[in-house]
Amino acid sequence: MEDALHNKFGNDRISSRQIDELIGLARGLVADGNVNQAEVEFLEKWLVANAGVSDAPLLGTLYRRVREILADGVVDEEEKAELLDTLNRFSNRDFELGETLKATTLPLCAPAPVLSFEGRAYCFTGTFNYGQRKHCEAAVTERGASAGGLTQKTNVLVIGTYATDSWKHSSFGAKIMNAVEFRRKGLPISIVSEEHWVAHL
């Protein structure tokens, strides 16, 4: 029993040290405001070498995201922007590892509406547990919806699970604020969480 406890606490210390190391690494990667292919590949190698850390849900998500980005051998501009946003928030310790934001600070519709897809226009913002933004968009387009940037014709804005309390200052905060403004003007736009959206798939 003592051995098991000792191992547990020993492992906790290792994870904590590795997480500190990853935060340092993330800070280094985002320092110049850009992420290039070599840096994404280096991050993947680090995550593979430190696989023990990926018990933490966020690290598991980060590892999957990096694998998806590298799957086609090319890191495109949107993938760089998404990863940069994730690493920025991670390096600022902006959220508990793997803990999702308490929805109260986000301007979500309450009660959350029943979602449909046929003929509806969706927009996605933030970092998603479901996958990259293009995977989220594919999930709605194959159900008869359209997906793209936020416009006055958007019916549903879906906010990714790993949003943070400081979402107004994040790179996707402007999109959320615009959607709130559309809603205030009486446009029929629903603002929902990733969790709510996934429940309708």
Side-chain angles (χ1 to χ4, degrees):
M1 180 68 184
E2 259 180 50
D3 279 353
L5 274 175
H6 178 75
N7 284 343
K8 179 186 180 333
F9 290 115
N11 288 343
D12 283 352
R13 274 201 301 278
I14 291 165
S15 294
S16 171
R17 193 182 71 229
Q18 286 172 312
I19 286 164
D20 285 343
E21 190 180 320
L22 181 55
I23 286 170
L25 178 61
R27 284 185 178 148
L29 291 176
V30 301
D32 62 355
N34 189 27
V35 182
N36 63 38
Q37 177 113 9
E39 288 170 334
V40 179
E41 288 169 0
F42 178 79
L43 178 59
E44 183 193 32
K45 286 194 183 95
W46 190 94
L47 288 164
V48 169
N50 293 272
V53 192
S54 58
D55 286 351
L58 176 65
L59 296 186
T61 300
L62 183 59
Y63 177 59
R64 278 201 315 277
R65 185 67 34 83
V66 168
R67 291 282 304 271
E68 286 164 0
I69 287 171
L70 291 171
D72 60 1
V74 179
V75 184
D76 67 33
E77 290 310 309
E78 186 171 344
E79 289 170 340
K80 284 180 190 173
E82 274 184 47
L83 187 60
L84 192 62
D85 185 61
T86 305
L87 291 173
N88 259 319
R89 286 181 287 131
F90 184 64
S91 67
N92 291 333
R93 293 178 180 269
D94 238 356
F95 41 67
E96 287 300 307
L97 292 179
E99 186 178 311
T100 57
L101 173 65
K102 309 302 170 277
T104 48
T105 66
L106 283 166
L108 302 174
C109 289
V114 173
L115 299 178
S116 60
F117 298 98
E118 192 63 47
R120 311 282 283 166
Y122 277 74
C123 177
F124 294 87
T125 191
T127 302
F128 291 83
N129 200 38
Y130 186 84
Q132 289 176 261
R133 193 169 301 135
K134 61 187 174 192
H135 299 137
C136 300
E137 291 178 348
V140 298
T141 54
E142 64 197 27
R143 289 167 172 79
S146 61
L150 183 72
T151 71
Q152 296 196 8
K153 293 195 170 94
T154 301
N155 302 115
V156 183
L157 176 66
V158 184
I159 301 174
T161 294
Y162 295 112
T164 70
D165 283 318
S166 57
W167 61 268
K168 285 181 185 170
H169 310 293
S170 69
S171 63
F172 56 86
K175 211 178 270 186
I176 299 172
M177 297 297 277
N178 285 342
V180 169
E181 186 60 21
F182 289 163
R183 193 167 63 180
R184 197 181 62 72
K185 286 178 177 168
L187 292 169
I189 184 168
S190 300
I191 304 174
V192 300
S193 66
E194 175 182 1
E195 186 182 21
H196 182 70
W197 167 71
V198 166
H200 286 77
L201 292 178

